[in-house]
Amino acid sequence: MADVEDIARRLCNIIASPDTVTGLINGGLSVPLDYGYLVYGIFDTDTRYARETQRIRMITAIKNDILNYENIVSAVKVILKEFNRYLTEAEQDKIYRSVMTSIAGRVSTNIIASTIAKHVIERTSFTFIVFKGKGNPITALSTLLLFGGMAERSIRTSERLKAEAPEVYQLLRSRDYDLLYFLFADAVQPFVDAIHAGYSEGKPVFIQIMKKVNEKLTAHTTEGAYE
């Protein structure tokens, strides 16, 4: 059963202040976390063949330039577009305009996606350097992504998404965006939770979530007007 109140609260926080995603992004390079995944992968012999198959897909995706800013933005937009699919354009505008004056819902979606991607880049020092044009993206990123715990983290996060929100996984998988999901998973989790609630429990539950979001955004806007 979806926790309507919790999902609504987390959605409100991001919609009202997109920059709050900074604290939700671990960044692409997290040595302790990746080391843990690396060790786990070494001892997990039961899924070794499946993970090797995923690594082959990863190599192909990297050769096709999956690791760039535009693809991160696009991957996030895929999720936000699915989220907005449950809302009419009028409902979208009502939600986003409550905190972003005179900005249509679709434009606000672009802002949120770009903000998340920007913070992914800034929090990931090696990616930031490569995206600034220093070094070869294929060489630098493929080395880090393919040979170490980061690869395990990418694959495991993709597998977890497939198990917990298969409808979102399918949307990302068609363009190999599921391999990038680990970079921004925590930042988009409220949107994924809302989508999955609507998919698995029906649109009435999604409507309940959005009703709560509207209430919280209205209260947020009112408080801001009196500060």
Side-chain angles (χ1 to χ4, degrees):
M1 185 71 179
D3 188 335
V4 172
E5 182 69 29
D6 179 62
I7 295 173
R9 175 184 56 78
R10 290 182 287 128
L11 281 170
C12 177
N13 288 342
I14 293 177
I15 294 172
S17 305
D19 282 327
T20 59
V21 299
T22 305
L24 301 174
I25 295 171
N26 289 321
L29 185 60
S30 175
V31 174
L33 186 59
D34 289 336
Y35 183 74
Y37 272 97
L38 178 60
V39 173
Y40 180 45
I42 291 172
F43 287 98
D44 182 12
T45 57
D46 293 339
T47 64
R48 184 166 294 167
Y49 176 77
R51 285 182 287 115
E52 286 303 315
T53 301
Q54 291 290 69
R55 284 175 184 269
I56 292 171
R57 181 164 70 93
M58 194 179 290
I59 291 171
T60 302
I62 288 173
K63 287 181 178 179
N64 291 331
D65 197 30
I66 189 72
L67 290 161
N68 63 51
Y69 174 82
E70 286 75 19
N71 278 329
I72 294 175
V73 172
S74 181
V76 176
K77 281 184 179 179
V78 167
I79 295 172
L80 299 184
K81 182 179 179 181
E82 181 66 10
F83 173 80
N84 286 338
R85 191 174 68 82
Y86 286 86
L87 304 167
T88 65
E89 289 188 7
E91 289 171 331
Q92 290 178 43
D93 291 347
K94 180 181 179 181
I95 290 170
Y96 296 115
R97 277 181 174 161
S98 65
V99 290
M100 299 180 182
T101 307
S102 300
I103 297 179
R106 285 154 293 169
V107 176
S108 298
T109 295
N110 293 340
I111 292 173
I112 294 172
S114 298
T115 299
I116 290 174
K118 179 175 77 74
H119 286 301
V120 166
I121 302 308
E122 290 177 349
R123 290 292 296 276
T124 311
S125 58
F126 77 89
T127 310
F128 182 77
I129 292 171
V130 171
F131 279 48
K132 284 295 184 181
K134 300 177 181 178
N136 185 312
I138 300 300
T139 302
L141 295 182
S142 63
T143 298
L144 287 163
L145 183 56
L146 293 175
F147 302 102
M150 191 181 297
E152 288 291 332
R153 183 150 62 106
S154 172
I155 292 170
R156 302 279 180 179
T157 304
S158 171
E159 290 174 345
R160 186 166 62 249
L161 178 67
K162 182 178 181 180
E164 296 177 355
E167 63 284 350
V168 176
Y169 169 81
Q170 290 299 331
L171 291 172
L172 297 178
R173 176 63 177 80
S174 63
R175 298 180 66 179
D176 291 324
Y177 285 162
D178 61 302
L179 298 175
L180 298 176
Y181 185 68
F182 78 107
L183 290 168
F184 53 81
D186 291 337
V188 298
Q189 191 63 51
F191 295 94
V192 172
D193 289 343
I195 292 168
H196 184 63
Y199 180 84
S200 61
E201 299 182 39
K203 190 169 182 179
V205 174
F206 186 88
I207 292 173
Q208 288 180 41
I209 293 171
M210 298 316 300
K211 182 180 178 181
K212 289 286 186 181
V213 170
N214 269 315
E215 292 173 358
K216 293 179 183 299
L217 288 174
T218 300
H220 177 277
T221 304
T222 302
E223 289 172 5
Y226 288 99
E227 289 180 356

